[in-house]
Every structure is written in C-alpha cells, then in structure tokens.
Amino acid sequence: MIDAALAHFAKVDPRMHELVLIHRDTTREPEVIAPDLYFERLCRTIVGQQLSVKAAATIWQRTLASLGTDTSKPLATEDFSRVDDDSLRAAGLSYQKIGYIRALIESLDNRAVDLTSLGKMDDNLVIAELTKLKGIGTWSAEMFLIFAMGRPDVFSAGDLGLMTAAAQLYQLDRKADADKIVANLERLSPYRTVASLTLWHSLDNQPK
C-alpha cells in the first residue's frame, strides 16, 4: 500500500510525498487482525483512552494478569466474568473504563453489535456501528479502522497529533485552519491511512 500511496502522492501532494519518503523505512503497512481479536482490541482501546502509550501498555498487562487469561488465545467476554470491578480497579482501570468494558460485553452478548459483520461494512458504517458502544467515540472507531482492520483511507481530524503534524507540514494553524488541513488531506484519498501513519512518525509519536 505504501508504494501505491507514494505514486499517488507524487501526483497530488509533493509535500506529503517527500514526508513519506523520509519515513519510508519506519512506516509499516496498516495491520489487519483476525475478527476473533476485535473484542480484545476494543478493550485495549478503552483501556488506553487519555493515556500515554507506555501507561496504557502497563495497565493492559496488569489487566490481563488480573484476568488470569491464557495470552496465547484471543480474549473472550467470559474472561471478565471471573474478576470483580475492584480487582480491575487495582490493575489500574478507572471505574468508568470498567463500566465501558462491561457495557461492551453486554452489547456483544445481547447481539446489539456484531463485530463479525464489520468486515462487510464500509468505513462510515463501521464507525456508526462501533459508536453505538458506550465509551467508543468517533476517534476510537477511526483508530480501530486503522490498527485493527487496516483500512487504507482513514484520517482522524479529531486526533491532536495528526492535526498538529499536518499543520506543520502545510504551514497552517492547527485551530484556525482546521478545515484547510482536512481539505488538504482529502486529496490524498484513497491512501490517507499511509498519510496518517507518516504524520505520526513525523512527530516521533504514536497515537494515544
């Protein structure tokens, strides 16, 4: 995908083309995970909200330890039935995030949301489906599209890091020129995911 994106960016946006070339060796192809890992990825997304990458990873590992799960197998909704909220709180989860995970489990168990059907949906429908879940907003759904489904054309205007990096690239003001920034990224379609990954790298940053 990155090579195809480079060819497209060379035609429509020389600045982004140059930025991708600079970070070509460290920008990885978007990841595509198996649907049976979607639940785990959503839990990790909830755990990591408003945290640094390092803090999120630490709390996630503590959460898995409190669950006592076999990490060689996909995390399942029933894994959370073995622990109470206080144990999860001791692992570092806030009670609000615990509530979000419990609500996610209830939605899946009641079939209010069917994660196995996401692969058949376009990006907008995936976002609409995921944002039915308590604690999953548009930004979280967009990160899921990039880092779980490997969708090729995702840019999150709600991501501070992306907007900051894009503002620097195009020499615009992140707040005053937000619409211009998004418009500039529109012309990079259908490879905006590559642009997003590159912009994060340009800040020596990872999404939080």
Side-chain angles (χ1 to χ4, degrees):
M1 184 190 303
I2 295 178
D3 289 339
L6 273 169
H8 179 60
F9 297 167
K11 299 175 183 177
V12 302
D13 192 328
R15 290 188 183 185
M16 183 60 73
H17 178 258
E18 182 180 0
L19 190 68
V20 174
L21 284 176
I22 291 171
H23 297 279
R24 177 67 180 87
D25 292 338
T26 55
T27 301
R28 57 184 173 83
E29 296 282 346
E31 182 182 10
V32 180
I33 67 174
D36 61 357
L37 296 174
Y38 284 177
F39 169 68
E40 179 173 338
R41 184 56 63 91
L42 285 172
C43 289
R44 291 194 66 168
T45 297
I46 291 170
V47 169
Q49 289 171 351
Q50 306 302 316
L51 295 175
S52 69
V53 173
K54 183 178 180 179
T58 297
I59 293 175
W60 179 247
Q61 290 305 314
R62 291 175 180 170
T63 300
L64 292 179
S66 71
L67 297 176
T69 57
D70 180 353
T71 56
S72 67
K73 298 178 181 179
L75 192 67
T77 57
E78 56 265 25
D79 290 327
F80 282 89
S81 65
R82 295 193 292 267
V83 295
D84 58 21
D85 290 357
D86 289 341
S87 297
L88 293 173
R89 181 69 188 93
L93 286 175
S94 67
Y95 284 119
Q96 183 180 52
K97 290 181 179 180
I98 294 168
Y100 289 160
I101 291 175
R102 300 289 190 198
L104 168 61
I105 292 169
E106 182 178 359
S107 294
L108 297 180
D109 288 346
N110 293 339
R111 299 186 181 278
V113 172
D114 179 13
L115 298 182
T116 63
S117 68
L118 296 180
K120 302 174 184 177
M121 300 179 184
D122 66 23
D123 293 352
N124 289 330
L125 285 177
V126 171
I127 292 172
E129 189 73 1
L130 290 179
T131 52
K132 293 178 184 177
L133 297 166
K134 188 176 182 180
I136 300 294
T138 300
W139 177 86
S140 294
E142 289 166 339
M143 296 304 103
F144 188 87
L145 284 169
I146 293 174
F147 294 104
M149 303 188 75
R151 293 294 176 87
D153 194 29
V154 183
F155 176 82
S156 176
D159 188 278
L160 178 60
L162 285 181
M163 292 296 286
T164 298
Q168 292 175 359
L169 178 66
Y170 297 116
Q171 298 181 332
L172 296 170
D173 183 272
R174 177 176 58 82
K175 294 182 179 180
D177 299 321
D179 290 343
K180 292 181 181 180
I181 293 171
V182 172
N184 281 345
L185 270 293
E186 287 288 343
R187 64 174 176 246
L188 303 179
S189 181
Y191 300 108
R192 285 178 294 174
T193 293
V194 172
S196 296
L197 294 170
T198 302
L199 287 167
W200 276 316
H201 277 297
S202 75
L203 292 177
D204 192 25
N205 187 29
Q206 291 295 320
K208 298 179 176 59

